[in-house]
């Protein structure tokens, strides 16, 4: 592995020997190539890049993203250099991420950490989901705008126009044209299903545009829109007679429901067909915005063929706390999804025995925001691009290299690879020319994510356990409002845990930038003072199971707690993955319906005694137990229980127990005293449980049957 660094025409104070020494202290990093500091690698020193590009078998890293395209073309033109498919070249940004900041002279530990991060192998590949588009395109909108757009697209795509508001249509027919009211649009790229109602007397597909109807109509109710203005029509029906040969006009026709499948949709109406923040792939809403329309007309012709994207999530139904026995518990993922890709599957109809329902995630609609995995308390949904293990390796490499190079008080800045990265580039460029802008401080370590909402409390607390002083998440106009709310709720929980453990300061924070006016505020926020962190960094890796990672992080944070730890830390109700249950023993009859409903095994019975047992560490606060309890005896109480150095929460404890009730006939225990008394109270007035029948309520199931068949005065179906 070889790394080439360049100080970009001496605008960055890079210390090559110090970077080399720093990388040598990281077990997963290499310092080859750092002995030379280049000044114009993309220009006068391009030969040095070409020599490195010809080295077979060596991974090549170039610390410049500005000239990424130029370096790729230069490698392709270099004789003897492996092709990009054989040996891809990686690029890492040092300039805007710290080299142009005002404290760049102290940024060596951070820059070394960024280089070590770039040297990591690519994450394991994940399954792909495919889209297939043949180019069948539906253009919806007012007549003039829809036709104008369709004429541009018709050269490369198979276009159908659905006119939503009448207007003049051209004399020639270049594509299928309908008029009507869209009633439903669903699907995604390559699989849209459109339904509309056609209720005008003129059928545009039958109309030959001979204009005989326009000439015949005495009221002028028909124009070049080839639709009847029913407010002006007085039923002369001259148009019907004029159109007799074509048969396009029929005032007696019932509204016609139409449906077709399309691969792509361009919507020019003011109100989009999809209300969610992130519409499906393959759908463009331009409205009356000329810039959005121009962008759509440029992009649509390229959307023909087969397209693949990652399956961003992994779902394990056995861990899901959404439903049990058709009762709904946790719905956090459904509530936060901005693409409507997740729906409930609570019904048990048609399911095999043992299947308990859950959720259904449509991978074609999923845009990879990962917010569902962030709010999932059980880990049933996990993000896979990259997966927890790969993300953990990136986290440990970044923080570990920074610390081993002498860095202190690291602030981890999580940002998206799209808009988030672009705004950090803008901040770095502003710091280069504006004396009032500081840029990314030397202690702030940027970590790009597919989407900024894809991490949650497990990664944040793990980062603190691995030595980060703070974790900040940068939000832009990419994020849906639901994501901001969900991330803040998760941060409130994590901050409550850290403060409860005695760590002082603000460790978690959402930073936001929407336009250039926010850059100065972002720059100021990035200079916040550090918060208290652990004395000794953790060594554990992030695991695929979210709860296991959380337990490992909590154990380390608890062991490193700087102050006396309370027995319990109260947590916010919204978003808490931890908590206990309060059981009203006066109401609870130990029917154990809650045990059957609990998806995580936190609630269990005792086969040897009437007891309800609870293991707090397993509880995900989904609420299924409270929703299932027929007595409304269970209440959720979010908290983090730390008694006995955190060991108590892993041990089962008794929430309720009762005296067993013995069968009045055989003496065998078969229920609890409270349950039998409640049953007698509720059924005692019923005619079927009077006299000797009332005594059967106090019998076990076997004795009840025996008594029923042996009682001499019992009425039988054979009696006349």
């Amino acid at each position: 592995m070889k790394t080439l660094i360049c100080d970009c025409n001496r605008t960055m104070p890079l210390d090559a020997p110090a970077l080399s020494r720093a990388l040598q202290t990281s077990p997963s990093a290499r310092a080859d190539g750092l002995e030379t500091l280049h000044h114009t690698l993309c220009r006068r020193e391009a030969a040095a890049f070409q020599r490195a590009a010809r080295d077979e078998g060596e991974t090549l890293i170039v610390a410049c993203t500005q000239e990424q395209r130029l370096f790729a073309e230069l490698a392709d033109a270099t004789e003897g250099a492996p092709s990009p498919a054989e040996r891809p070249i990686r690029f890492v940004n040092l300039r805007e991420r710290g080299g142009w900041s005002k404290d760049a002279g102290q940024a060596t530990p951070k820059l070394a950490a960024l280089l070590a991060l770039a040297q990591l192998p690519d994450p394991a590949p994940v399954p792909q989901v495919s889209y297939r588009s043949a180019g069948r395109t539906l253009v919806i909108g007012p007549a003039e705008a829809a036709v104008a757009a369709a004429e541009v697209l018709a050269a490369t795509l198979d276009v159908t126009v659905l006119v939503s508001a009448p207007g003049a249509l051209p004399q020639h027919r270049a594509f299928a044209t309908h008029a009507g009211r869209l009633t439903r649009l669903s699907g995604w790229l390559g699989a849209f299903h459109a339904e509309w109602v056609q209720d005008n007397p003129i059928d545009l597909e039958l109309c030959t545009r001979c204009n005989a109807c326009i000439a015949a109509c005495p009221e002028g109710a028909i124009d070049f829109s080839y639709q009847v203005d029913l407010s002006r029509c007085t039923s002369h029906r001259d148009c019907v007679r004029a159109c007799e040969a074509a048969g396009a006009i029929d005032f007696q026709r019932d509204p016609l429901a139409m449906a077709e499948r399309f691969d792509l949709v361009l919507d020019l109406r003011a109100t989009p067909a999809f209300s969610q923040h992130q519409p499906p792939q393959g759908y463009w809403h331009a409205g009356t915005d000329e810039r959005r329309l121009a962008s759509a007309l440029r992009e649509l012709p390229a959307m023909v063929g087969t397209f693949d994207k990652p399956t961003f999530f992994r779902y394990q139904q056995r861990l899901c706390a959404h439903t049990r026995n058709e009762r709904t518990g946790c719905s956090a993922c459904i509530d936060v999804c901005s693409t409507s890709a997740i729906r409930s599957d609570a019904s048990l109809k048609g399911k095999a025995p043992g299947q308990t329902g859950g959720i259904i995630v449509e991978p074609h609609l999923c845009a990879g925001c990962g917010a569902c995995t962030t709010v999932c308390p059980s880990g049933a949904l996990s993000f896979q691009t990259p997966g927890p293990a790969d993300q953990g390796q990136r986290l440990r490499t970044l923080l570990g290299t920074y610390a081993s190079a002498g860095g202190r008080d690291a602030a981890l800045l999580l940002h998206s690879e799209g808009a988030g990265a672009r705004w950090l580039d803008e901040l770095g460029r502003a710091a280069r020319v504006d004396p009032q802008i500081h840029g990314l401080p030397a202690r702030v370590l940027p970590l790009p994510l597919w989407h900024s909402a894809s991490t949650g409390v497990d990664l944040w607390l793990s980062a603190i356990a691995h030595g980060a002083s703070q974790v900040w998440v940068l939000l832009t106009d990419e994020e849906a409002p639901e994501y901001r709310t969900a991330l803040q709720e998760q941060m409130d929980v994590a901050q409550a845990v850290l403060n409860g453990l005695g760590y002082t300061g603000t460790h978690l924070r959402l930073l936001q930038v929407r336009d250039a006016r926010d850059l100065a505020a972002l720059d100021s926020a990035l200079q916040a003072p550090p918060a208290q962190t652990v004395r000794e960094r953790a060594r554990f890796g992030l695991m695929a199971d979210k709860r296991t990672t959380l337990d490992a992080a909590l154990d380390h944070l608890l062991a490193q707690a700087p102050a006396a730890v309370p027995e319990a830390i109260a947590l916010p109700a919204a978003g808490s993955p931890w908590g206990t249950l309060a059981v009203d023993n006066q109401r609870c009859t130990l029917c154990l319906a809650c045990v059957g409903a609990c998806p995580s095994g936190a609630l269990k019975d005792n086969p040897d005694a009437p007891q309800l047992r609870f293991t707090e560490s397993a509880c995900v606060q989904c609420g299924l137990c409270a929703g299932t309890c027929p007595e409304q005896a269970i209440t959720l109480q979010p908290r983090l229980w730390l008694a006995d150095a955190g060991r108590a929460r892993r041990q089962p404890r008794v929430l309720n127990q009762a005296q067993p009730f013995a069968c009045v006939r055989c003496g065998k225990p078969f229920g609890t005293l409270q349950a039998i008394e409640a049953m007698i109270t509720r059924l005692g007035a019923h005619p079927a449980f009077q006299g000797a029948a009332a005594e059967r309520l106090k019998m076990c199931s076997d004795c009840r049957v025996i008594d029923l068949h042996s009682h001499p005065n019992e009425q039988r179906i054979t009696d006349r």
Side-chain angles (χ1 to χ4, degrees):
M1 182 176 295
K2 181 169 287 188
T3 303
L4 303 181
I5 59 172
C6 176
D7 63 10
C8 198
N9 197 26
R10 294 182 169 84
T11 59
M12 294 185 287
L14 298 184
D15 187 341
L19 285 172
S20 179
R21 290 192 298 271
L23 286 176
Q24 288 171 6
T25 64
S26 178
S28 61
R30 297 274 300 276
D32 296 354
L34 294 178
E35 63 276 359
T36 303
L37 175 61
H38 301 279
H39 306 298
T40 53
L41 187 62
C42 61
R43 297 294 186 269
R44 293 181 180 177
E45 298 169 291
F49 168 78
Q50 289 182 296
R51 287 193 296 271
R54 277 193 291 264
D55 290 341
E56 299 251 357
E58 287 215 358
T59 299
L60 180 59
I61 295 173
V62 180
C64 175
T65 54
Q66 165 72 33
E67 300 293 346
Q68 182 171 339
R69 178 179 176 182
L70 173 64
F71 284 121
E73 292 176 349
L74 192 58
D76 188 54
T78 299
E79 185 177 353
S83 68
E86 295 173 300
R87 198 267 318 270
I89 302 173
R90 299 180 187 172
F91 299 90
V92 57
N93 187 332
L94 299 185
R95 192 176 69 177
E96 285 85 1
R97 298 301 181 266
W100 273 355
S101 297
K102 297 297 189 288
D103 60 355
Q106 292 79 48
T108 295
K110 173 170 78 170
L111 301 182
L114 294 178
L115 290 174
L117 185 65
Q119 292 180 4
L120 287 177
D122 292 331
V126 298
Q128 302 284 304
V129 58
S130 295
Y131 300 86
R132 290 178 176 84
S133 167
R136 290 201 63 202
T137 305
L138 175 65
V139 180
I140 316 169
E144 289 90 343
V147 167
E151 287 176 339
V152 174
L153 297 174
T156 53
L157 300 173
D158 179 7
V159 178
T160 296
V161 170
L162 176 59
V163 175
S164 62
L169 296 176
Q171 191 66 41
H172 66 283
R173 183 196 302 275
F175 33 75
T177 305
H178 303 274
R181 174 173 49 87
L182 185 73
T183 57
R184 183 171 181 264
L185 181 65
S186 61
W188 48 81
L189 172 64
F192 284 105
H193 180 76
E195 298 177 8
W196 66 90
V197 173
Q198 182 176 303
D199 52 10
N200 196 272
I202 298 181
D203 186 334
L204 287 182
E205 275 301 280
L206 295 178
C207 175
T208 63
R209 303 182 191 180
C210 66
N211 301 316
C213 57
I214 299 176
C217 180
E219 299 95 353
I222 306 176
D223 56 16
F224 289 125
S225 67
Y226 303 107
Q227 296 285 275
V228 178
D229 184 348
L230 296 174
S231 66
R232 300 173 66 182
C233 177
T234 56
S235 305
H236 287 89
R237 301 299 186 261
D238 292 351
C239 59
V240 177
R241 289 186 288 274
C243 189
E244 184 176 3
I249 306 177
D250 185 354
F251 284 87
Q252 305 304 315
R253 183 193 301 120
D254 292 331
L256 184 62
M258 306 282 288
E260 283 194 45
R261 294 183 67 85
F262 298 94
D263 300 314
L264 305 163
V265 178
L266 173 60
D267 194 345
L268 303 179
R269 299 171 303 162
T271 303
F274 297 96
S275 59
Q276 62 262 38
H277 177 82
Q278 178 72 49
Q281 289 90 340
Y283 172 84
W284 281 259
H285 176 253
T288 57
D289 190 315
E290 292 296 331
R291 293 181 63 182
R292 284 193 292 176
L293 175 59
S295 177
L297 294 178
R298 184 174 61 253
E299 295 169 5
L300 275 161
M303 301 304 294
V304 177
T306 300
F307 306 90
D308 295 325
K309 73 171 184 182
T311 301
F312 296 103
F313 62 92
R314 179 183 178 219
Y315 176 56
Q316 301 178 79
Q317 186 187 32
R318 63 181 179 82
L319 299 178
C320 185
H322 175 57
T323 58
R324 282 296 186 276
N325 302 322
E326 299 189 339
R327 288 188 176 272
T328 300
C330 172
S331 61
C333 60
I334 297 174
D335 298 337
V336 81
C337 182
S338 70
T339 64
S340 299
I342 309 176
R343 68 180 189 272
S344 175
D345 188 32
S347 174
L348 297 179
K349 185 176 181 180
K351 289 186 171 64
Q355 289 183 314
T356 56
I359 60 168
I360 294 175
V361 187
E362 176 48 68
H364 291 91
L365 290 176
C366 176
C369 69
C372 57
T373 68
T374 296
V375 300
C376 178
S378 67
L381 278 169
S382 57
F383 195 69
Q384 296 297 303
T385 313
D390 289 317
Q391 194 68 283
Q393 185 181 18
R394 298 174 73 209
L395 177 73
R396 294 170 65 195
T397 298
L398 191 65
L399 292 172
T401 304
Y402 176 79
S404 63
R408 299 183 59 188
D409 299 322
L412 187 66
L413 178 61
L414 306 175
H415 64 88
S416 70
E417 295 174 348
R422 290 194 296 272
W423 282 118
L424 292 186
D425 288 346
E426 290 296 317
L427 181 65
R429 183 166 61 176
R432 176 74 181 97
V433 299
D434 188 342
Q436 304 300 318
I437 298 295
H438 183 280
L440 275 183
R443 75 179 190 92
V444 177
L445 308 181
L447 181 63
L449 307 171
W450 181 277
H451 197 287
S452 55
S454 63
T455 65
V457 63
D458 53 333
L459 184 136
W460 302 337
L461 290 180
S462 294
I464 303 297
H466 280 87
S469 168
Q470 286 143 314
V471 177
W472 297 330
V473 178
L474 179 62
L475 301 182
T476 68
D477 56 1
E478 286 181 327
E479 287 79 23
E482 300 94 326
Y483 301 164
R484 296 184 177 92
T485 302
L487 288 170
Q488 190 59 62
E489 289 175 352
Q490 293 282 300
M491 284 192 169
D492 290 343
V493 170
Q495 189 64 62
V497 170
L498 291 167
N499 290 155
L501 291 172
Y503 296 93
T504 58
T506 302
H507 299 80
L508 300 126
R509 187 178 176 188
L510 294 179
L511 307 179
Q512 190 159 301
V513 55
R514 290 193 177 94
D515 54 45
R517 292 171 296 180
D518 294 333
L519 271 183
L522 174 63
D523 187 61
S524 177
L526 290 170
Q527 298 177 60
Q532 188 176 14
T533 188
V534 295
R535 301 181 304 277
E536 181 180 340
R537 296 177 52 248
R539 296 287 181 260
F540 68 86
L542 271 68
M543 286 145 278
D545 182 74
K546 182 176 186 175
R547 303 290 294 193
T548 303
T549 297
L550 278 172
D551 285 343
L554 285 174
D555 287 346
H556 187 78
L557 292 169
L558 181 59
Q560 296 281 308
V565 176
E567 184 172 287
I569 299 172
L571 299 178
S576 175
W578 301 291
T580 187
L581 305 177
V583 176
D584 186 340
N585 294 343
Q586 299 302 313
R587 287 187 170 192
C588 176
T589 62
L590 285 176
C591 69
L592 302 180
C594 55
V595 173
C598 181
S600 63
L603 285 169
K604 293 186 179 297
D605 64 347
N606 185 344
D608 301 321
Q611 287 183 340
L612 177 61
R613 304 174 118 196
F614 177 64
T615 305
E616 189 156 330
S617 64
C619 179
V620 298
Q621 293 284 286
C622 66
L624 277 167
C625 55
T628 300
C629 179
E631 315 297 345
Q632 288 79 54
I634 300 177
T635 305
L636 303 181
Q637 292 184 346
R639 72 170 187 179
L640 181 60
W641 195 33
L642 300 173
D644 191 22
R647 290 184 289 272
R649 59 190 294 269
R650 294 187 174 93
Q651 302 301 318
R653 70 179 191 273
V654 177
L655 292 183
N656 192 19
Q657 57 186 341
Q659 177 183 346
F661 185 89
C663 173
V664 295
R665 182 183 176 112
C666 70
K668 179 178 69 176
F670 74 97
T672 66
L673 178 62
Q674 191 172 353
I676 301 303
E677 288 177 346
M679 183 169 59
I680 292 173
T681 300
R682 292 176 182 177
L683 299 179
H686 195 281
F689 298 100
Q690 302 300 314
E695 199 68 9
R696 294 195 189 109
L697 295 176
K698 304 175 185 178
M699 298 180 187
C700 66
S701 57
D702 292 337
C703 291
R704 199 174 301 146
V705 173
I706 294 171
D707 187 72
L708 190 66
H709 285 274
S710 62
H711 199 282
N713 297 324
E714 189 70 30
Q715 186 175 2
R716 291 172 172 77
I717 195 171
T718 55
D719 295 343
R720 293 187 179 180

